[in-house]
Amino acid sequence: MIEQLLTPDYREVMEHLTNLDLKNHSLTIYLTRHDLGFWNRPHTDIPRKHVTHLFYFNEGWKIDWGGCFRFLEDNQTTSVIQEVPPLPQYSVAIVRCDRSWHMVSPISLNATQHRLHLQTCFWLPES
């Protein structure tokens, strides 16, 4: 999968999806495991983090375990526009702006697995 993400084809797909020119952007790839009890407060990404793409790997994740990616209207945890569970059939792409609020809902201590995802980030060139 990582080999595929490093190809020009993946970059072109992300350019088409976001309608952005990403040719001069550096790309980082992270594998992340979030433990039970983890949550991520409402935030927008830092300005250089131009585009983020998330892939999930949790087969059988139960919605009541939390750990869902939430698109938010503003910086309030209750202003949920859409929620995406960390299941392999879903993927999330974010173009950073001052209104691209998002968070991860708290992962229940009753979950029987950790939340797993791969994150790619396209970084604006340093000036």
Side-chain angles (χ1 to χ4, degrees):
M1 179 177 185
I2 291 174
E3 286 178 3
Q4 291 296 313
L5 294 172
L6 293 173
T7 65
D9 290 344
Y10 173 66
R11 191 175 294 260
E12 288 174 19
V13 166
M14 292 305 293
E15 286 179 335
H16 180 74
L17 177 69
T18 62
N19 201 30
L20 296 170
D21 180 357
L22 302 173
K23 288 176 187 56
N24 294 324
H25 288 56
S26 59
L27 173 66
T28 56
I29 300 171
Y30 304 91
L31 292 168
T32 304
R33 181 186 98 168
H34 290 144
D35 295 329
L36 309 186
F38 171 87
W39 75 287
N40 197 324
R41 64 175 176 71
H43 66 282
T44 58
D45 292 331
I46 63 173
R48 268 199 72 233
K49 193 176 182 184
H50 202 183
V51 175
T52 302
H53 189 191
L54 303 171
F55 300 87
Y56 299 109
F57 300 104
N58 289 94
E59 296 284 344
W61 187 267
K62 296 181 180 173
I63 301 301
D64 62 341
W65 290 347
C68 295
F69 183 93
R70 290 180 174 170
F71 291 99
L72 304 172
E73 183 71 32
D74 53 34
N75 65 350
Q76 301 301 306
T77 59
T78 56
S79 66
V80 178
I81 297 169
Q82 186 171 1
E83 186 170 79
V84 180
L87 292 165
Q89 64 264 37
Y90 299 110
S91 180
V92 171
I94 308 156
V95 175
R96 194 264 177 222
C97 73
D98 291 336
R99 298 179 326 275
S100 58
W101 291 97
H102 56 280
M103 67 175 286
V104 175
S105 65
I107 299 172
S108 170
L109 297 177
N110 295 322
T112 61
Q113 54 182 287
H114 300 280
R115 182 182 184 271
L116 307 172
H117 74 270
L118 181 143
Q119 174 177 285
T120 65
C121 299
F122 289 91
W123 297 86
L124 285 167
E126 293 190 55
S127 44

